[in-house]
Amino acid sequence: MVQTIKAERRESSKRSDLSALRNGGYIPAVVYGYQLDNVPVAVSERDLMMTLREVGRNGVIRLEVEGKPVNVILNDYQADVLKGDIRHADFLAINMDTEMEAEVTVTLSGDENAPGVKEGGTINQPLWTVHVKAKPSDMPETLEVDVSGLQVGETLTVGDVKEKWGVEVADEDDTVLVTITAPRTQEELDSLDEAPAEASAEPASAGNEEESGDE
């Protein structure tokens, strides 16, 4: 379901005016893309955050700009590093009948039941997002990978799971999504414990040699 947010057109880009908007609970933004020139707007921060929780990061939002409904996605945003508040948003106007590419989050399921985990192995997920091509209304919010059958040393790639997802994935088939590595032996753990002590001893020895040479 497409959610609607009212966007007020803004005329000023002065820092003081943008600060006033943010203090009033609004986010400065710009809308551009399909059949639309760049339009500076402001949207309610509360409405945007509630809508994103409802439709997801790649969900379609309907912006009402000067009385005209525009289908958009949140293409990019700038956030406050400390507070996490959205400081500025870029909305991309889209054609609902045309495929688009977006990054979709990959989530794992069944990890507690994986034989490799029960044997002490560690799950590694080198890739947290994949690039998906789909119409805006068909774009998934997340893609799930079932790892419940993985043994130690086994790997799942994009090619192994993409048919289950039912969407076109732009990433190469051999792109690794998840693997289970073997548990470390006691010998490997002991070597890790010894390494810091050996590393710290080397600089001290070199320092002593320099001091004796200066004398």
Side-chain angles (χ1 to χ4, degrees):
M1 180 179 178
V2 178
Q3 299 293 318
T4 302
I5 299 177
K6 188 173 183 180
E8 302 286 346
R9 181 152 187 160
R10 58 183 173 88
E11 303 298 334
S12 174
S13 295
K14 293 181 179 179
R15 182 175 296 180
S16 58
D17 293 333
L18 297 181
S19 296
L21 279 174
R22 295 183 181 108
N23 291 336
Y26 285 83
I27 299 172
V30 63
V31 189
Y32 53 86
Y34 178 66
Q35 294 185 339
L36 195 68
D37 294 328
N38 285 16
V39 181
V41 297
V43 297
S44 164
E45 180 179 13
R46 178 177 179 275
D47 289 348
L48 178 59
M49 298 308 293
M50 289 180 62
T51 300
L52 290 176
R53 282 195 288 269
E54 181 72 22
V55 306
R57 176 65 176 84
N58 295 317
V60 179
I61 302 170
R62 181 173 289 120
L63 281 187
E64 185 180 321
V65 183
E66 298 180 325
K68 177 184 177 181
V70 180
N71 291 318
V72 303
I73 60 169
L74 180 61
N75 191 48
D76 197 8
Y77 65 92
Q78 299 164 12
D80 185 288
V81 177
L82 297 178
K83 297 180 181 179
D85 300 335
I86 295 180
R87 306 289 292 170
H88 188 278
D90 288 4
F91 294 106
L92 176 65
I94 56 175
N95 182 351
M96 295 294 287
D97 295 324
T98 302
E99 287 189 341
M100 55 178 288
E101 183 173 308
E103 282 190 282
V104 178
T105 301
V106 175
T107 60
L108 306 184
S109 66
D111 50 304
E112 294 182 356
N113 297 322
V117 173
K118 292 181 178 180
E119 294 173 9
T122 301
I123 289 184
N124 297 293
Q125 185 180 355
L127 195 67
W128 293 86
T129 61
V130 293
H131 297 84
V132 171
K133 291 181 179 179
K135 290 183 178 180
S137 58
D138 297 330
M139 187 65 68
E141 182 177 350
T142 61
L143 292 169
E144 186 177 284
V145 176
D146 182 5
V147 300
S148 60
L150 279 188
Q151 304 278 353
V152 169
E154 291 186 331
T155 294
L156 286 177
T157 65
V158 168
D160 294 328
V161 299
K162 68 178 184 179
E163 289 188 5
K164 297 178 182 178
W165 287 340
V167 293
E168 182 180 353
V169 182
D171 299 80
E172 298 292 336
D173 283 357
D174 60 358
T175 301
V176 175
L177 295 172
V178 60
T179 184
I180 297 186
T181 56
R184 285 176 171 168
T185 64
Q186 187 60 48
E187 183 179 347
E188 290 174 327
L189 293 174
D190 291 342
S191 66
L192 289 175
D193 291 337
E194 294 171 2
E198 293 175 356
S200 61
E202 290 179 2
S205 175
N208 290 336
E209 290 177 2
E210 289 179 4
E211 289 178 3
S212 61
D214 291 340
E215 291 176 356

